Amino acid sequence: VRFSFLERLGIQVAAISEKADGDCGEGVAGEAFCAELGVDYAAVIRGRQVHGDHVAAVGEGERGLCLWNTDGLVTDVPGLPLAVTVADCVPVYVFDTCRRVAGVVHAGREGTRQGIAAQAVRLMAERFSCRAGDIHAVIGPSAGPCCYEVTDVMAGEFRTLGLPTEGRRLDLWESNAGQLVKAGVPRDQIEVTGICTICGDRFFSYRRGNEGKRNLALICL
Ligand SMILES: [Zn+2]
């Protein structure tokens, strides 16, 4: 699935693999998916995701590497692909059309609670002088508010932070969109794809039993 919302603004690739592309967590399926998009798989920079809020600014020096303790990546280097892997967690894509800086973050329950999407916006401002008002974002396919039920305690934590919940269900989409808006990204520059990985059958879903299988969320300037 490609996100024309960002690609039509002049980014080379903003996409996520689906089940039909195979398990893109590692190896051949990921390579084939990248090849299809004209992206060099060997160049892809990834994070060794830990459900934290660390976002790294990367460049040529990190080409092809997997960075420790990193759940989000941003770069200003054209042609340098960045990726996170997800299966229900939210992939958030960001693109500053002015400074031409792009990034992708892995925002699961923990990352969202810690505000990783806003952290990416802050880092883009700090390292690349981006203005939040120039950033466009896509909230990709992931666990939707229709299905994502957690424990009372977890839902309570979200409520305490002012993040949207309904009973024990969390709204990770609106949580991330809201955090971006709070960080200064205009609401009309955020697209929520609205595709739930749990009740839909198009993507790998941890909750639906595809443990270990991953969708690859890819962005490339
Ligand atoms: Zn659903």
Side-chain angles (χ1 to χ4, degrees), residues 2 7 12-15 30-44 63 78-81 218-221:
R2 303 186 71 153
E7 289 187 347
Q12 222 183 97
V13 175
E31 196 168 349
F33 175 68
C34 286
E36 208 178 293
L37 297 168
V39 166
D40 175 12
Y41 184 69
V44 175
R63 179 177 284 266
L80 194 62
L218 189 70
I219 196 161
C220 185
L221 266 177

Side-chain angles (χ1 to χ4, degrees), residues 21-167:
D21 298 306
D23 173 13
C24 288
E26 307 281 346
V28 284
E31 196 168 349
F33 175 68
C34 286
E36 208 178 293
L37 297 168
V39 166
D40 175 12
Y41 184 69
V44 175
I45 303 174
R46 298 174 186 237
R48 178 69 65 198
Q49 300 165 195
V50 293
H51 294 274
D53 71 342
H54 179 65
V55 184
V58 295
E60 281 299 344
E62 286 81 25
R63 179 177 284 266
L65 296 184
C66 180
L67 307 181
W68 287 105
N69 193 33
T70 299
D71 283 85
L73 298 157
V74 297
T75 191
D76 65 346
V77 180
L80 194 62
L82 312 177
V84 297
T85 53
V86 288
D88 295 342
C89 289
V90 186
V92 181
Y93 302 73
V94 285
F95 175 40
D96 177 334
T97 50
C98 250
R99 297 275 169 184
R100 300 205 49 84
V101 173
V104 63
V105 308
H106 160 249
R109 189 186 69 237
E110 271 307 300
T112 301
R113 195 175 62 74
Q114 296 169 44
I116 191 171
Q119 182 56 32
V121 173
R122 274 194 293 276
L123 183 68
M124 288 167 80
E126 217 175 271
R127 292 292 296 275
F128 303 112
S129 305
C130 293
R131 289 178 42 238
D134 297 326
I135 294 175
H136 291 66
V138 163
I139 312 289
S142 43
C146 39
C147 296
Y148 193 49
E149 201 169 83
V150 297
T151 66
D152 278 325
V153 174
M154 289 171 186
E157 280 176 5
F158 261 61
R159 261 192 303 279
T160 306
L161 291 169
L163 296 170
T165 58
E166 201 185 310

Side-chain angles (χ1 to χ4, degrees), residues 142-148 173 194-200:
S142 43
C146 39
C147 296
Y148 193 49
W173 299 343
I195 301 171
C196 175
T197 47
I198 300 176
C199 59

Side-chain angles (χ1 to χ4, degrees), residues 206-220:
Y206 184 85
R207 282 278 174 116
R208 217 169 357 86
N210 306 132
E211 286 102 346
K213 297 199 171 148
R214 295 286 180 273
N215 312 301
L216 189 71
L218 189 70
I219 196 161
C220 185

